[in-house]
């Protein structure tokens, strides 16, 4: 018996020494593809600004290390014909962007180019309000949906003025009636379309050529301020541009509404951003400061919606709300004394 026990101990000792591993280096088999990249999409800074929010989000974007940032417009308060005041707004904006470590590409919003004076200053500082870019064989179209030089049909304007006057007379003579409310709703819808997105013929011809010259790109991203596809009567030039896009894989980003929403059109993603500092409507779903993190890899981009409040510094630990915790119950469950 003693011999068998001794033999077993020797056998175990030999096997332990055989199968014991020395600590060493484990190689990381990371998949590094030079064609992969990620970028961030940011929403409206203005349209009513919440001070400090945009600057805070810029710092948070740096921690994500994107290749670049796209912005969907409304960068300044605008709505001014005072050239000095407009220049000062852009100076403040430029100062905020000095904190960003990567390129920042934007479109113009209605606050940025409300009138021809603002449009001229924008062009002097940043160049054309519509343009394109290509990065790692991915095409980016930056569409100007607020061109103040776009012509408005004078006949449509005259018809609207007549309808408005007729509604006023109806309200005076008949008061509030179901028929009057229906006519008011119809008028407001027409007025909304008139004041909606404007895309010039020159802009359409420009993008038509860009698409024709770059028909073999991996993906196309379209960035604009106003979500033109949501209008009951979208600009004719957008309808034509969207028709050209149908033959390729693409994604559309917009802003303006300050409410995050998603739609699928032509089996493609159409996303409206909420805000990155702009005022937020109350009581609506999709209202928050946020970012989109877009990863371009493989056959289709992946898009993640990141809440700005969910990105915090390493030394700022989020605090849980303990006001509603039942401490006694937690202790009983932990110690095993809870009543069954």
């Amino acid at each position: 018996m003693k011999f068998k026990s001794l033999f077993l101990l020797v056998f175990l000792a030999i096997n332990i020494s055989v199968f014991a591993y020395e600590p060493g280096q484990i190689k990381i088999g990371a998949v590094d593809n030079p064609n992969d990249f990620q970028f961030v999409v940011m929403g409206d800074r203005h349209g009513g600004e919440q001070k400090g929010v945009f600057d805070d989000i810029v710092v948070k974007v740096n921690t994500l290390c994107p290749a670049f940032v796209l912005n969907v417009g409304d960068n300044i308060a605008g709505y001014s014909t005072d050239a000095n005041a407009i220049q000062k707004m852009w100076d403040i904006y430029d100062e905020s962007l000095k904190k960003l470590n990567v390129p920042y590409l934007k479109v113009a919003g209605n606050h940025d180019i409300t009138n021809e004076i603002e449009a001229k200053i924008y062009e002097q500082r940043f160049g054309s309000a519509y343009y394109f870019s290509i990065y790692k064989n991915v095409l980016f179209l930056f569409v100007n949906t607020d061109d103040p030089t776009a012509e408005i049909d004078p006949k449509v304007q005259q018809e609207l003025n007549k309808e408005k006057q007729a509604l006023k007379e109806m309200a005076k003579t008949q008061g509030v009636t179901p028929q009057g409310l229906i006519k008011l709703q119809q008028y407001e819808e027409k007025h909304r379309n008139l004041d909606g997105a404007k895309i010039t013929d020159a802009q359409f011809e420009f993008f038509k050529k860009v698409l024709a010259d770059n028909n073999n790109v991996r993906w196309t991203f379209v960035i604009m301020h106003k979500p033109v596809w949501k209008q009951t009567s979208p600009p004719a030039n957008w309808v034509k541009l969207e028709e050209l896009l149908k033959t390729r894989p693409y994604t559309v980003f917009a802003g303006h509404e300050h409410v995050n929403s998603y739609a699928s059109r032509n089996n493609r993603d159409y996303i409206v951003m909420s805000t990155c500092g702009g005022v937020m409507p109350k009581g609506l779903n999709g209202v928050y400061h946020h970012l989109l993190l877009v990863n371009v890899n493989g056959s289709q981009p992946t898009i993640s919606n990141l809440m700005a409040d969910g990105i915090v510094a390493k030394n700022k630990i989020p605090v849980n709300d303990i006001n509603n915790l039942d401490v006694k119950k937690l202790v009983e469950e932990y110690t095993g004394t809870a009543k069954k």
Side-chain angles (χ1 to χ4, degrees), residues 166-219:
L167 284 168
K168 286 183 178 180
E169 293 299 323
M170 185 181 294
K172 288 179 181 178
T173 58
Q174 301 177 25
V176 178
T177 64
Q179 183 184 12
L181 290 174
I182 292 172
K183 287 184 175 294
L184 177 61
Q185 187 177 26
Q186 291 172 342
Y187 165 80
E188 288 179 343
E189 189 64 36
K190 290 180 182 177
H191 191 269
R192 187 180 300 113
N193 287 323
L194 186 68
D195 285 344
K198 300 176 181 67
I199 300 174
T200 60
D201 293 341
Q203 190 172 176
F204 168 73
E205 292 300 328
F206 171 79
F207 286 123
K208 180 181 178 181
K209 185 176 186 308
V210 170
L211 289 171
D213 292 344
N214 298 278
N215 57 3
N216 292 318
V217 293
R218 292 193 286 158
W219 204 269

Side-chain angles (χ1 to χ4, degrees), residues 28-264:
I28 300 173
V31 180
D32 294 323
N33 189 325
N35 291 321
D36 294 350
F37 66 96
Q38 66 177 16
F39 63 89
V40 162
V41 184
M42 292 179 64
D44 297 27
R45 172 178 175 260
H46 249 285
E49 182 191 14
Q50 298 186 45
K51 296 290 185 181
V53 173
F54 182 81
D55 296 67
D56 180 60
I57 292 176
V58 164
V59 173
K60 291 177 177 179
V61 167
N62 287 332
T63 68
L64 300 175
C65 300
F68 49 85
V69 174
L70 307 182
N71 169 266
V72 295
D74 274 1
N75 297 284
I76 63 170
Y79 283 90
S80 174
T81 55
D82 184 335
N84 291 330
I86 297 165
Q87 295 282 13
K88 187 175 181 179
M89 292 177 197
W90 284 116
D91 289 342
I92 294 171
Y93 160 85
D94 286 342
E95 194 65 29
S96 294
L97 283 182
K98 287 181 180 179
K99 303 180 182 74
L100 188 65
N101 297 333
V102 296
Y104 185 89
L105 297 91
K106 62 186 175 298
V107 292
N110 50 290
H111 282 264
D112 303 324
I113 51 172
T114 309
N115 49 57
E116 292 192 15
I117 294 175
E118 286 191 352
K120 184 178 180 180
I121 291 174
Y122 187 96
E123 190 172 87
Q124 289 172 344
R125 294 184 72 125
F126 307 113
S128 173
Y130 62 90
Y131 56 100
F132 78 100
S133 185
I134 297 177
Y135 185 76
K136 294 190 176 183
N137 200 31
V138 174
L139 177 63
F140 296 84
L141 305 182
F142 297 85
V143 179
N144 179 11
T145 59
D146 290 275
D147 192 335
T149 66
E151 293 183 3
I152 299 174
D153 189 338
K155 291 183 179 179
V156 175
Q157 184 67 68
Q158 289 174 5
E159 289 175 4
L160 280 173
N161 290 339
K162 288 180 180 178
E163 287 185 27
K164 185 178 181 180
Q165 189 59 38
L167 284 168
K168 286 183 178 180
E169 293 299 323
M170 185 181 294
K172 288 179 181 178
T173 58
Q174 301 177 25
V176 178
T177 64
Q179 183 184 12
L181 290 174
I182 292 172
K183 287 184 175 294
L184 177 61
Q185 187 177 26
Q186 291 172 342
Y187 165 80
E188 288 179 343
E189 189 64 36
K190 290 180 182 177
H191 191 269
R192 187 180 300 113
N193 287 323
L194 186 68
D195 285 344
K198 300 176 181 67
I199 300 174
T200 60
D201 293 341
Q203 190 172 176
F204 168 73
E205 292 300 328
F206 171 79
F207 286 123
K208 180 181 178 181
K209 185 176 186 308
V210 170
L211 289 171
D213 292 344
N214 298 278
N215 57 3
N216 292 318
V217 293
R218 292 193 286 158
W219 204 269
T220 298
F221 289 97
V222 183
I223 305 93
M224 62 181 65
H225 182 61
K226 289 179 178 174
V228 294
W229 66 91
K230 299 180 77 172
Q231 294 179 205
T232 55
S233 299
N237 284 325
W238 166 252
V239 175
K240 292 189 292 183
L241 183 58
E242 191 176 41
E243 191 64 30
L244 293 177
L245 288 166
K246 284 183 179 179
T247 61
R248 62 176 62 214
Y250 70 93
T251 303
V252 180
F253 301 119
H256 184 60
E257 295 184 344
H258 294 206
V259 180
N260 183 208
S261 63
Y262 171 87
S264 178

Side-chain angles (χ1 to χ4, degrees), residues 11 39 148 229 231 288 301 316 330 337:
F11 176 79
F39 63 89
W229 66 91
Q231 294 179 205
Y288 29 67
K316 294 184 179 179
L330 287 174
T337 58

Side-chain angles (χ1 to χ4, degrees), residues 288-316:
Y288 29 67
H289 298 304
H290 72 129
L291 310 164
L292 294 184
L293 181 64
V294 184
N295 286 283
V296 180
N297 47 32
S299 59
Q300 184 170 346
T302 58
I303 303 174
S304 301
N305 200 351
L306 307 182
M307 301 300 102
D309 289 342
I311 305 172
V312 296
K314 62 185 178 182
N315 60 336
K316 294 184 179 179

